[in-house]
């Protein structure tokens, strides 16, 4: 649910009881408990959330243990939760907490769940979207303007768009000479921006601002 935070993040801390690797019965190993939790919470979207409201639960990192022959005291799972629907998102949070705590309890361990409700679902205002498409089709050419598909990436512009009518645009910055299948995505160390696209971005914003200022219909 949350991106970019260095203070709080979606996490599950599984606590057991440390013991020697040769004596697992003398403690409570949190590692297999954490593994069962990962499999269980990642299956929630497929089995407990309506398929018409897609959602994703991804565990991005697991931290626990320091040596091969010591079963650790705790294991931390960190990850991200994505959904196109706020109600499904809220339900998923509750289900993750239930599954994690009960799975841990079944093995004599405990699980502390922290979910940071981060960026909301971003939906363009239909009137502004139609306005923007018309303006940019005339400015850039209809073949250069496309309606995007829903994506599970997160965007803090949602904080604005959920309070006032908003229009969010994607700007293409891939070198046309690079096949789409070979272009590295953002967050990749191989990501490259074709800076010629930045001039298009400036033109887009100017054209939208001028057209919006010239409107007389009183729409948002």
């Amino acid at each position: 649910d949350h991106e970019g935070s260095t203070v709080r993040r979606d996490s599950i801390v599984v606590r057991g009881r440390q013991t020697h690797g040769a004596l697992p019965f003398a403690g409570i190993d949190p590692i297999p408990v954490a593994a069962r939790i990962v499999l269980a919470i990642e299956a929630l979207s497929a089995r407990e959330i309506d398929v018409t409201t897609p959602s994703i639960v991804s565990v991005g990192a697991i931290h626990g243990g320091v040596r091969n022959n010591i079963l650790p005291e705790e294991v931390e799972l960190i990850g991200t939760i994505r959904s196109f629907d706020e109600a499904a998102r809220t339900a998923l949070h509750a289900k993750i907490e239930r599954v994690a705590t009960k799975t841990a309890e079944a093995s004599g361990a405990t699980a502390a769940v922290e979910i940071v409700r981060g960026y909301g679902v971003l939906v363009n205002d239909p009137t502004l979207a139609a306005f923007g498409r018309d303006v940019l089709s005339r400015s850039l050419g209809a073949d250069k303007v496309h309606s995007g598909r829903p994506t599970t990436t997160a965007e803090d512009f949602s904080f604005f768009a959920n309070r006032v009518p908003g229009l969010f645009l994607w700007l293409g910055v891939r070198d046309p000479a690079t096949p789409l299948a070979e272009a590295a995505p953002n967050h990749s160390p191989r990501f490259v921006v074709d800076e010629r696209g930045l001039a298009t971005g400036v033109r887009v914003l100017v054209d939208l601002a001028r057209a919006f200022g010239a409107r007389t219909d009183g729409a948002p």
Side-chain angles (χ1 to χ4, degrees):
D1 246 329
H2 193 65
E3 286 193 348
S5 174
T6 58
V7 179
R8 299 178 62 202
R9 56 192 178 183
D10 295 345
S11 68
I12 300 174
V13 177
V14 181
R15 292 187 175 87
R17 188 169 66 249
Q18 186 181 25
T19 184
H20 195 285
L23 305 169
F25 48 84
I28 299 174
D29 187 356
I31 291 179
V33 177
R36 287 192 287 272
I37 289 174
V38 171
L39 295 177
I41 64 175
E42 290 193 344
L44 285 173
S45 297
R47 288 293 178 266
E48 295 197 30
I49 299 296
D50 189 332
V51 295
T52 62
T53 56
S55 58
I56 292 173
V57 179
S58 297
V59 176
I62 302 176
H63 305 292
V66 293
R67 292 193 52 168
N68 67 305
N69 62 343
I70 299 175
L71 304 185
E73 183 79 15
E74 69 177 40
V75 172
E76 181 188 39
L77 312 174
I78 58 174
T80 184
I81 304 163
R82 310 296 174 99
S83 178
F84 295 143
D85 181 84
E86 289 292 351
R89 181 186 185 196
T90 298
L92 197 53
H93 291 179
K95 292 175 185 295
I96 289 171
E97 182 161 10
R98 184 201 77 217
V99 167
T101 56
K102 297 302 183 182
T103 300
E105 182 182 349
S107 297
T110 63
V113 180
E114 180 175 20
I115 297 176
V116 180
R117 198 174 186 94
Y119 307 154
V121 179
L122 171 58
V123 180
N124 279 339
D125 176 79
T127 301
L128 282 180
F131 160 76
R133 185 179 184 90
D134 179 62
V135 171
L136 298 184
S137 292
R138 287 187 278 109
S139 173
L140 303 176
D143 62 321
K144 300 292 194 302
V145 183
H146 309 279
S147 295
R149 298 174 57 190
T151 173
T152 49
T153 51
E155 176 52 55
D156 58 7
F157 185 75
S158 61
F159 290 123
F160 297 100
N162 286 331
R163 289 182 175 271
V164 297
L167 173 61
F168 184 82
L169 306 173
W170 291 99
L171 176 66
V173 291
R174 171 179 59 91
D175 184 339
T178 302
L180 183 60
E182 297 176 12
N186 59 343
H187 298 311
S188 166
R190 296 183 292 107
F191 178 64
V192 176
V193 172
D194 182 346
E195 295 188 356
R196 290 173 294 180
L198 302 182
T200 302
V202 172
R203 177 180 174 183
V204 162
L205 294 179
V206 170
D207 289 347
L208 285 172
R210 293 179 63 185
F212 187 84
R215 295 181 70 172
T216 59
D217 56 13

